């Protein structure tokens, strides 16, 4: 499949069927923790990167093959920044006409200052934007945005969207050790979140391969400090574990590659999924994957992850 992947286990959305409306690393941020590699270059142009009709047709065909109980959410989650696709609003509305499953959008929220982007997202049942910093300096260190973007623009866009949106607004804060888990950084985040007023704040940590090899998850003290500062609105979300659906594509390897384009998988988790899905074919599938030029192994903090070979990860 070209645009649809999974279902994959999600931290917040159970078994999520993913829809990807942009090519790999079409993004206006270059976050230090990104699981999809570096943005080379950083892209800030909104346009129809992939044909909306083709995306919708693949969603329709995929839903016809899946049983209702196999998915909990339909999630627009890009190999870059989802809202860069100008057809996103059209896609959300039309996907909602195909299924009664709730629709979510995962986004960095960087374009929420634009009224048409906010309008595109209003039909979604849940929107999950990012806020990793409470100041311009920390925003540039963590998210490394396109030069035309600023922290103030990002924050004001999130505030405006929160006023207009009637679905579930769940803001994600990615904590990185010794970067934004300090008392000062957390106090800045708390002040910014108070101005937005989201339904929930999801505190998460880098459990997949971060693009920069020095990025580490906070220790227990850092997590406790974050929970204490962000108080009752904060929710520490554990890493997702579960079985990936490997039924899409012409072969098991094709299905794996489709997932890796959007969602790196630890070597151990992939082996578990293969053991459940195709115990007689697992070893052969792994051997084929190792020889496949579309996939690569990346090591971070002693853990091996399968990723898309075209993703840019420094050693």
């Amino acid at each position: 499949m070209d645009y649809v992947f999974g279902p994959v286990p999600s931290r917040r959305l159970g078994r999520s069927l993913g829809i990807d409306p942009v090519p790999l690393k079409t993004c206006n941020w270059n976050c230090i923790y990104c699981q999809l590699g570096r943005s080379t270059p950083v892209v800030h142009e909104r346009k129809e990167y992939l044909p909306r009709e083709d995306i919708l047709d693949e969603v329709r065909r995929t839903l016809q093959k899946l049983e209702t109980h196999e998915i909990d959410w339909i999630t627009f989650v890009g190999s870059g920044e989802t809202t860069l696709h100008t057809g996103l609003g059209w896609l959300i509305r039309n996907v909602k006409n195909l299924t009664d499953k709730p629709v979510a959008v995962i986004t960095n929220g960087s374009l929420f200052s634009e009224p048409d982007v906010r309008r595109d997202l209003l039909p979604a049942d849940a929107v999950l934007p990012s806020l990793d910093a409470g100041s311009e300096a920390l925003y540039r260190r963590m998210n490394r945005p396109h030069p035309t973007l600023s922290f103030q623009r990002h924050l004001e866009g999130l505030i405006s969207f929160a006023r207009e949106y009637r679905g579930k607004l769940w803001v994600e804060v990615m904590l990185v050790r010794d970067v934004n888990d300090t008392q000062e950084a957390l106090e800045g985040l708390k002040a910014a979140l108070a101005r937005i007023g989201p339904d929930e704040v999801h505190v998460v940590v880098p459990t997949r391969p971060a693009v920069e090899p020095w990025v580490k998850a906070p220790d227990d003290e850092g997590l406790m400090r974050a929970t204490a500062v962000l108080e009752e609105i904060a929710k520490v979300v554990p890493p997702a574990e579960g079985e990936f659906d490997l039924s899409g594509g012409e072969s098991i390897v094709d299905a794996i590659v489709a997932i890796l384009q959007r969602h790196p998988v630890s070597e151990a988790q992939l082996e578990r999924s293969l053991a459940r899905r195709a115990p007689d074919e697992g070893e052969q599938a792994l051997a084929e994957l190792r020889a496949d030029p579309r996939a690569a192994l990346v090591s971070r903090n002693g853990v091996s992850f399968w990723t898309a070979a075209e993703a840019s990860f420094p050693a």
Side-chain angles (χ1 to χ4, degrees):
M1 294 187 288
D2 295 320
Y3 317 109
V4 180
F5 62 101
V8 297
S10 166
R11 290 183 175 100
R12 292 144 294 184
L13 303 171
R15 290 186 59 75
S16 169
L17 183 69
I19 304 172
D20 186 357
V22 295
L24 181 63
K25 282 322 309 263
T26 303
C27 194
N28 53 7
W29 283 8
N30 190 19
C31 298
I32 60 175
Y33 57 78
C34 186
Q35 64 179 8
L36 296 173
R38 285 181 174 167
S39 303
T40 52
V42 176
V43 176
H44 192 47
E45 179 185 6
R46 289 200 79 214
K47 67 178 185 179
E48 187 157 328
Y49 285 90
L50 301 168
R52 64 180 74 182
E53 293 86 358
D54 291 355
I55 297 172
L56 185 65
D57 183 59
E58 190 167 285
V59 174
R60 183 183 296 109
R61 288 186 281 110
T62 303
L63 289 172
Q64 289 170 351
K65 293 189 297 183
L66 290 170
E67 299 290 339
T68 302
H69 68 273
E70 293 183 87
I71 54 176
D72 300 309
W73 285 76
I74 312 291
T75 307
F76 285 90
V77 51
S79 304
E81 172 44 36
T82 318
T83 60
L84 286 172
H85 195 294
T86 51
L88 182 60
W90 182 91
L91 284 164
I92 293 170
R93 293 190 299 274
N94 280 277
V95 167
K96 288 183 69 68
N97 288 333
L98 296 178
T99 177
D100 59 0
K101 295 294 182 181
V103 172
V105 179
I106 296 177
T107 166
N108 62 24
S110 62
L111 295 175
F112 284 17
S113 59
E114 299 187 17
D116 55 337
V117 172
R118 299 198 301 271
R119 283 193 298 269
D120 282 348
L121 298 178
L122 293 180
D125 298 286
V127 175
L128 293 75
S130 296
L131 183 71
D132 303 320
S135 68
E136 179 72 26
L138 195 52
Y139 170 66
R140 297 214 164 271
R141 184 179 178 193
M142 282 282 293
N143 303 125
R144 303 188 297 198
H146 188 273
T148 62
L149 298 174
S150 69
F151 171 72
Q152 192 62 33
R153 178 179 172 183
H154 182 51
L155 178 58
E156 290 176 356
L158 289 169
I159 294 169
S160 296
F161 183 70
R163 290 172 181 161
E164 300 168 6
Y165 184 56
R166 296 296 174 262
K168 297 178 175 68
L169 180 58
W170 298 336
V171 173
E172 176 179 290
V173 176
M174 177 67 80
L175 285 184
V176 175
R177 188 187 303 182
D178 300 327
V179 179
N180 68 339
D181 66 342
T182 65
Q183 187 74 24
E184 180 182 5
L186 290 166
E187 292 290 349
L189 273 166
K190 180 182 176 181
L193 289 165
R195 294 183 63 192
I196 298 165
D199 297 303
E200 293 182 3
V201 176
H202 294 175
V203 177
V204 295
V205 300
T207 58
R208 297 174 191 145
V211 62
E212 302 302 341
W214 51 265
V215 166
K216 291 181 171 56
D219 55 20
D220 290 343
E221 181 181 346
L223 281 174
M224 290 174 62
R225 182 166 54 245
T227 302
V229 171
L230 300 180
E231 297 175 334
E232 293 83 7
I233 61 170
K235 178 181 179 182
V236 177
V237 181
E241 288 292 343
E243 180 181 351
F244 289 83
D245 188 298
L246 302 177
S247 59
E250 296 296 320
S251 67
I252 293 176
V253 172
D254 286 339
I256 294 170
V257 169
I259 291 171
L260 299 182
Q261 290 281 343
R262 295 96 179 176
H263 194 299
V265 181
S266 74
E267 197 168 28
Q269 190 175 16
L270 179 57
E271 289 173 357
R272 289 195 300 271
S273 293
L274 282 168
R276 297 187 188 101
R277 168 69 177 81
D280 297 332
E281 305 172 53
E283 285 301 320
Q284 179 63 29
L286 283 172
E288 291 178 15
L289 189 65
R290 293 187 186 101
D292 196 306
R294 298 173 295 174
L297 276 170
V298 171
S299 178
R300 286 293 184 267
N301 298 315
V303 179
S304 293
F305 294 87
W306 282 102
T307 71
E310 61 190 290
S312 176
F313 282 90

